[in-house]
Every structure is written in C-alpha cells, then in structure tokens.
Amino acid sequence: MRHFPIFLDLADRRVLIAGTGAVAEAKLRLLLKTTARLELYAPEPEAALRELAEAQGVALHRRPLTAADLPGAALVYAAHGAAAPDAETAALARAAGVLVNVVDDLEASDFITPALVDRDPVTVAIGTEGTAPVLARAIKAEMEERLPQHLGTLAGAARGFRGAAEALPPGRARRDFWTDFHFRTGPLVLEREGEGGLDAALAALLARHLAAAPTPGRVDLVSAGPGDPDLLTLRARRLLDRADVVIHDRLVAPAILELARREATFVAVGKEGFGPSTAQSDINALMIDHARQGAHVVRLKGGDASIFGRLDEEIAALDGAGIDWAVTPGVTAASAAAAAIGASLTQRARNSDLRLMTAHDLKGYAEQDWRALARPGAVAAIYMGKRAARFVQGRMLMHGADPGTPVTLVENASLPAQRILASRLDRLPADLAQAAPTGPVLMLMGLAPRRAPVARPALIEEMA
Ligand code: SAH
C-alpha cells in the first residue's frame, strides 16, 4: 500500500486551489462538500468558475498563487490542467511543506483524491493508486446502490447521542444498542416519522437497552474452510463480523482474519506443523474465560471444525462450564483438494465409500483398515500425511495395493499458493521429498487429477 487512506479534519482549515477551467471547477465542487476555508487562485477565471466561487463564498484571488499564500495552508490543489503552471504550484507548496495534489498526475502528487460515496458523515473512499479508474468507478456504483440514502441521516443523529449511550457498558452492550438503532429502529422510525422522530427514538431505545438483562457470553465454533475467504459460509462471515474475541488456529489464513471485526481480540493457538503448540487445556480455558466475561467468542478452526480439530474436547469443556455454544460447518481440505483436481470423491462402481483419515494419532503413526484401503478403486483423503508418506506406502503395499495406484497431493488447497502433485503409490515418498512442500498438504489416495493443471474458477469477471 503506497497510498495510506486517512480522513483529514478540514474544519476551518485553508485549502488552496490554483487553476482555472473545468479542472479547477470540478475540484472546487468536490471540496465544497467539506467545511474547509477554500481559496481559489485564478488570474483569469471563466464565468462559470467565478460564479460558483461567488455563490459559495469562496475567496477568489485573481492572480497566481505565491509563496506568501502558503503558510498555514492544509492542502494545495494544482488544477490548471497544464503541466507548467501545475509544476510551479507544486514546487511552491513543497517548498512550504504543504501537501499538494496535481490533478490527474499521480507521480507529481503527495496525495491523491479517492472516489467518494458520500453519505455524510459516513464516507466511503475508494482508491486504486491510479491503476484502475474503471474498477474504482464500478465499486463506487455498487456502493452507491447498496448504501441507503438514510445512512448519513442516522449516523448524524447518532453523533449527538454518543455521550448518552455511554450509560451502557462498553463493548457488546453498547454495540448491540447501536446495531439495533442503525439496522432496525432507526430505519423504521425514519420511514414512519421522518428525521424529527430520531432523537426521541434514540432515548426510548436506550432506556430499553439499559433495562434489558446483559446478554451472556457464548462461543461459536466456526469452520474457516481451507483458506480462500470465498469458501467461508455466510454464517461464518456474519459471526466473524460480530465477534469480540477470535481464537484461531495458526493455519487460518490472514485474509480470513481480515474479515473479523477490527476491534476484536485475536488469539492464535494450536499447532503449526510440528512446531510450537498451545495445550488443548489452555485453549479451552481461554474460550471459557472470555465467554464468562460476557464476550462473544468465535473459535475459528481451519477446514471443517468437526474433522481432525478436537471439536468434541472443546465442546465437552464448554458444556462443563455451562457455556452456550454452536458449531458452524465448513469446507474441509478434502473437498477443496478434490475441487482443485476436478475429481469426484465418490463414483458409482468405483468407490461407494470415502475415508477421511489422518496418518497420525495420539500414539504416532495411525493404523487403519489397510486391507480395505488397498482394494482397487478405494479412495481416501489423508490429513497430516506429509511425514507419514513412507509409512502409508509400506502398509498399503503390504496389504496388496497396486503400486501404480494414483496419489495426488494438494498443497495449500484453494489458496493462491496452491500446488498439485500427481504421484503414484510406488513413487510417493520420492515425489514428496522432491516437491518439498512447506504448506499444508492433503493426500488423495486413489485419485488422479482429471487434467493437469486444472483451471481455477474464473470468478474475477463477475465484478464487472
Ligand atoms: N479441520 C481441517 C483439518 C485439520 S488437520 C479440515 O477440515 O480441513 C490439518 C491438516 O489438514 C493439514 O495437515 C492438511 O493435511 C490439511 N489441510 C488443511 N488445510 C489445507 C489446505 N488448504 N490444503 C491442503 N491441506 C490442508
């Protein structure tokens, strides 16, 4: 991120626009949305520009900007639409240490103006660092459609009530109050009574929330899927959006954590390959402590929470502590890996059962029903199998498996770093050693990629 978005307080600050014509007029119109003190420097302003400035009480100087004008200015816009005077303005501003924007010239500018969706005081700023104006316009159009016009009115009413709402304890209770106002009570009152009813509605709503019993804490055991945020369920997204505390496995991708409420407390736990791990009892204690303090805890687990995730142990601990919980299912690594190679996990006349197995258990390598697995057509998804390849191979061959049985390894399934390795039982340890995967790997025993490489779903076009 080369350009960092911020919201600058322009109340009563001087903003200087040097230039004429349509370029200066467009900037002036935009800046008139602010409460800044605007000054226009234009030796020969066109009639339209002059009239706009006069009508809006903008100070109009019929001369070029000079060094003497700059002290105390917050921002300068070079808006001549011509390189030479713009460069002169930019040089003056820089010499005075004032941030300058040269309209439509990213490289010559200290800051750039984003595309705006204006629901004052709610503002959405969209920037692409000048790379894709078409994209910025498309996003703006989508936001314009999606954000109701009344958004700003509600936010405006809320502004005056923030102090009163502090009667509610900070955190969940206060957030519930505001959620109720912005998404239920507020829109309803606006529709029925108009803006005039909002203040009374806020007071009544606060009284109701103050009288209500505090909501007890709870834990949602949420599946995060294999890594691609698109593969989260809608419910997982909603819960992340509300969480006070997110306790997540280290395997959970950063792009998914980004979706959680920014104010939430994040705690990384669990195993990282064979690296450091948090004891299960510590994870249980963390969930229970936070929930007892009234927090909404999201326990985020990679893939599907119910598969090799010690879900039962966490549920038992929560039950033992009398804490309310629910499970949100998700996409497991086996599903993502199968999708990546375009294969079906079951097939009529080939395999009517599917094993999800781990190569490790409490005692080390995990024993399985190898005879069944060695049968032609058998399919198994092997989790945590990277280090157990030779063991699995030995057991399979010992029980009569065909050495040519296809085995496909999918590393980082669904993530940008996804890699597919088509191997066979007899070559498995050698191929794996050569590929030297560093990310999580799912082994699909008995399945070959339909075609290699399999195209990833083309979802990008859908935005246009
Ligand atoms: N609950 C998870 C599995 C946890 S065990 C699920 O349902 O997917 C951890 C193992 O899952 C890893 O060792 C790896 O075998 C597999 N795994 C998880 N995410 C993966 C991914 N994106 N790509 C490949 N394998 C993955």
Side-chain angles (χ1 to χ4, degrees):
M1 201 188 289
R2 179 172 155 197
H3 292 87
F4 181 65
I6 56 169
F7 289 95
L8 191 63
D9 183 359
L10 286 180
D12 218 27
R13 298 292 307 275
R14 290 172 61 226
V15 174
L16 319 184
I17 304 165
T20 47
V23 181
E25 192 183 326
K27 275 297 160 255
L28 185 58
R29 277 190 200 284
L30 182 65
L31 287 158
L32 279 168
K33 288 175 180 286
T34 72
T35 50
R37 278 192 286 141
L38 300 179
E39 298 173 19
L40 180 63
Y41 293 83
E44 289 162 22
E46 290 80 357
L49 185 59
R50 202 181 57 232
E51 281 159 21
L52 178 64
E54 276 162 9
Q56 300 289 335
V58 172
L60 172 58
H61 303 273
R62 290 166 182 260
R63 58 170 175 80
L65 182 80
T66 66
D69 302 314
L70 285 157
L75 298 174
V76 171
Y77 280 87
H80 301 87
D86 275 351
E88 227 167 278
T89 302
L92 283 173
R94 289 224 171 82
V98 179
L99 294 177
V100 62
N101 171 272
V102 179
V103 178
D104 289 335
D105 189 344
L106 181 90
E107 291 307 322
S109 297
D110 297 321
F111 68 94
I112 51 181
T113 316
L116 288 181
V117 181
D118 178 9
R119 302 285 185 275
D120 184 50
V122 178
T123 319
V124 183
I126 303 152
T128 63
E129 306 206 330
T131 55
V134 173
L135 194 57
R137 269 197 294 280
I139 297 170
K140 175 175 154 77
E142 194 172 312
M143 299 298 289
E144 290 284 6
E145 232 170 79
R146 192 180 302 180
L147 300 181
Q149 289 297 334
H150 69 234
L151 206 74
T153 312
L154 293 182
R159 175 155 50 199
F161 203 73
R162 295 204 78 81
E166 280 171 21
L168 287 163
R172 179 103 167 272
R174 217 179 276 173
R175 219 164 46 242
D176 285 350
F177 165 75
W178 285 120
T179 304
D180 191 339
F181 173 69
H182 285 294
F183 298 104
R184 275 190 298 271
T185 313
L188 213 71
V189 169
L190 257 188
E191 199 182 294
R192 289 192 191 146
E193 304 169 36
E195 209 174 327
L198 286 178
D199 286 344
L202 274 164
L205 188 65
L206 179 62
R208 219 164 56 232
H209 277 253
L210 280 171
T215 33
R218 60 172 283 117
V219 176
D220 274 288
L221 300 140
V222 177
S223 303
D228 181 347
D230 272 4
L231 295 178
L232 277 174
T233 59
L234 292 175
R235 194 197 296 174
R237 287 201 68 142
R238 272 206 303 273
L239 290 169
L240 275 173
D241 203 37
R242 288 186 203 156
D244 298 309
V245 179
V246 179
I247 302 175
H248 62 92
D249 290 349
R250 290 202 175 87
L251 203 59
V252 173
I256 288 177
L257 297 178
E258 284 276 325
L259 298 171
R261 241 167 38 84
R262 208 168 354 166
E263 300 77 21
T265 305
F266 293 85
V267 190
V269 296
K271 287 214 187 92
E272 191 164 29
F274 292 80
S277 64
T278 314
Q280 188 61 48
S281 55
D282 290 345
I283 300 177
N284 297 348
L286 256 174
M287 292 191 297
I288 292 168
D289 284 354
H290 282 294
R292 283 215 171 116
Q293 286 166 34
H296 179 185
V297 178
V298 164
R299 169 72 177 108
L300 196 58
K301 297 157 102 49
D304 180 88
S306 72
I307 295 172
F308 304 126
R310 305 181 72 171
L311 180 67
D312 279 344
E313 295 170 51
E314 296 187 3
I315 289 177
L318 293 171
D319 272 342
I323 286 163
D324 218 12
W325 55 266
V327 181
T328 299
V331 176
T332 187
S335 302
I341 65 167
S344 175
L345 287 169
T346 62
Q347 192 184 92
R348 281 203 293 177
R350 182 191 67 197
N351 66 313
S352 58
D353 68 2
L354 161 73
R355 274 156 215 263
L356 304 182
M357 54 187 254
T358 175
H360 287 273
D361 65 11
L362 288 174
K363 295 187 283 301
Y365 291 141
E367 289 300 348
Q368 309 285 348
D369 181 356
W370 299 110
R371 193 175 306 281
L373 285 165
R375 263 182 227 131
V379 174
I382 305 179
Y383 291 71
M384 297 177 275
K386 255 197 284 189
R387 297 226 180 152
R390 190 169 291 283
F391 165 76
V392 170
Q393 180 200 43
R395 286 290 196 274
M396 292 282 289
L397 292 175
M398 201 196 319
H399 288 83
D402 177 354
T405 302
V407 183
T408 306
L409 307 181
V410 183
E411 179 187 10
N412 287 317
S414 87
L415 289 160
Q418 174 178 293
R419 280 204 302 167
I420 295 167
L421 175 66
S423 181
R424 329 180 338 162
L425 192 54
D426 53 357
R427 293 201 313 254
L428 179 60
D431 282 353
L432 190 58
Q434 201 192 353
T438 51
V441 170
L442 193 103
M443 243 188 253
L444 291 169
M445 181 73 67
L447 289 181
R450 182 169 299 270
R451 55 190 148 80
V454 169
R456 293 168 66 81
L459 291 171
I460 305 299
E461 282 101 35
E462 283 178 13
M463 281 202 68

